[in-house]
Amino acid sequence: MIDIHCHILPGVDDGSADMKESLNMARKAVEAGITHLFATPHHLNEKYVNVKRDIIDRAVRLNDSLQQNNIPLIIHLGQEVRIHRDIFTSLEKEEILTLDDNGKYLLLELPSGKVPTYTKEVIYELLLKGITPIIVHPERNKELIENHKLLFELVQEGALTQLTSGSINGNFGKKIQSFSKKIIEHNLSHFIATDAHNIISRGFSLQHAYEIITKAYGIERTFYFKENAEQLIKKQSPFIEKPVPFKKKIFGIF
Ligand SMILES: [Fe+2]
């Protein structure tokens, strides 16, 4: 499996504290069936600043350590960028790191309590530059939980989204789990990822989430999410299903 969102780089944010912990996380990821993992440290989230060149240096070092320790996991480049008005200044300064540095897909984080008024503008401007933002864990955003239609509008505009496996598994409570299901049912998510921060409280629960999705929606839906992550590794475009507006009634499932 491929995990597109994870805080495994040592000593850069609230994820792994040091190389020893990163290697332990890597061993757990491999045990969980993960072969490729995008290391995506926080950037500009009011606490952490991790610019592109630093992430690349650390990812190279981690890949070297994985090889030396015979851990069969490949680290890919990434960054979890908090939305901010100056994102384009950061882009110009080459501080922003797209997934695999391909200039095409960027993990974009909203503040947990709200959706800033300039969000649609930022999405639009990124798309104009050929960068598709992947909004991480929309199911945990307070404003989106209250206003599902706004998420539909962001996806309709061209943003992709990534649900966190722990949300589907119920680790963040019933409300977030229920919203995660609605997001899947309305074709408003394109990736599932762990957003792992450690091996205890926020680990690599990807397989369990896929099992829940398979049980509720069939194996094709799980393949859809898995294949989209593979598309990123292959430097190809993910598959995008037509988003369903919330006014339509969805029958059955979950
Ligand atoms: Fe994250």
Side-chain angles (χ1 to χ4, degrees), residues 169-188:
N169 299 341
N171 301 346
F172 297 99
K174 284 212 184 313
K175 206 171 181 181
I176 287 172
Q177 186 184 36
S178 160
F179 187 33
S180 303
K181 292 166 184 172
K182 281 186 189 161
I183 289 173
I184 294 174
E185 288 161 10
H186 290 77
N187 293 342
L188 295 175

Side-chain angles (χ1 to χ4, degrees), residues 54-253:
D54 293 343
I55 297 171
I56 294 175
D57 286 350
R58 284 170 195 268
V60 167
R61 263 183 271 155
L62 179 55
N63 265 328
D64 287 346
S65 290
L66 291 170
Q67 270 200 333
Q68 284 160 16
N69 287 275
N70 295 315
I71 301 171
L73 181 72
I74 295 170
I75 303 295
H76 290 253
L77 299 172
Q79 186 185 45
E80 180 179 6
V81 183
R82 172 68 64 91
I83 194 165
H84 62 104
R85 285 182 189 279
D86 291 332
I87 195 166
F88 298 101
T89 314
S90 284
L91 254 175
E92 277 166 26
K93 288 200 271 181
E94 302 232 352
E95 293 174 352
I96 301 293
L97 179 56
T98 50
L99 295 182
D100 265 341
D101 198 14
N102 63 10
K104 286 186 173 172
Y105 297 96
L106 177 72
L107 292 195
L108 186 68
E109 183 191 39
L110 303 173
S112 59
K114 60 176 180 171
V115 176
T117 49
Y118 52 86
T119 298
K120 285 183 183 172
E121 201 183 314
V122 167
I123 291 171
Y124 178 77
E125 293 290 334
L126 282 170
L127 288 168
L128 275 187
K129 290 181 183 297
I131 299 173
T132 301
I134 301 173
I135 299 172
V136 299
H137 40 70
E139 77 282 6
R140 292 170 53 203
N141 180 279
K142 219 173 166 188
E143 186 169 341
L144 293 176
I145 290 171
E146 301 300 323
N147 182 3
H148 297 2
K149 276 189 182 174
L150 179 54
L151 178 61
F152 172 81
E153 288 168 16
L154 300 181
V155 174
Q156 185 83 330
E157 192 186 353
L160 302 180
T161 81
Q162 168 257 305
L163 290 171
T164 297
S165 52
S167 301
I168 294 161
N169 299 341
N171 301 346
F172 297 99
K174 284 212 184 313
K175 206 171 181 181
I176 287 172
Q177 186 184 36
S178 160
F179 187 33
S180 303
K181 292 166 184 172
K182 281 186 189 161
I183 289 173
I184 294 174
E185 288 161 10
H186 290 77
N187 293 342
L188 295 175
S189 193
H190 313 85
F191 304 95
I192 312 292
T194 68
D195 194 10
H197 279 65
N198 53 57
I199 58 171
I200 301 161
S201 57
R202 293 182 70 181
F204 297 94
S205 57
L206 196 53
Q207 180 60 28
H208 186 50
Y210 281 140
E211 282 165 11
I212 291 175
I213 291 168
T214 299
K215 207 172 165 192
Y217 304 110
I219 192 76
E220 292 78 16
R221 182 56 69 130
T222 292
F223 284 154
Y224 169 76
F225 288 121
K226 285 186 176 178
E227 281 173 9
N228 272 350
E230 281 167 25
Q231 290 292 93
L232 293 182
I233 298 269
K234 291 192 275 186
K235 303 194 190 318
Q236 291 175 11
S237 304
F239 306 104
I240 301 169
E241 290 185 336
K242 197 173 185 302
V244 179
F246 274 96
K247 59 185 178 190
K248 284 189 184 169
K249 189 162 171 56
I250 303 292
F251 291 100
I253 43 193

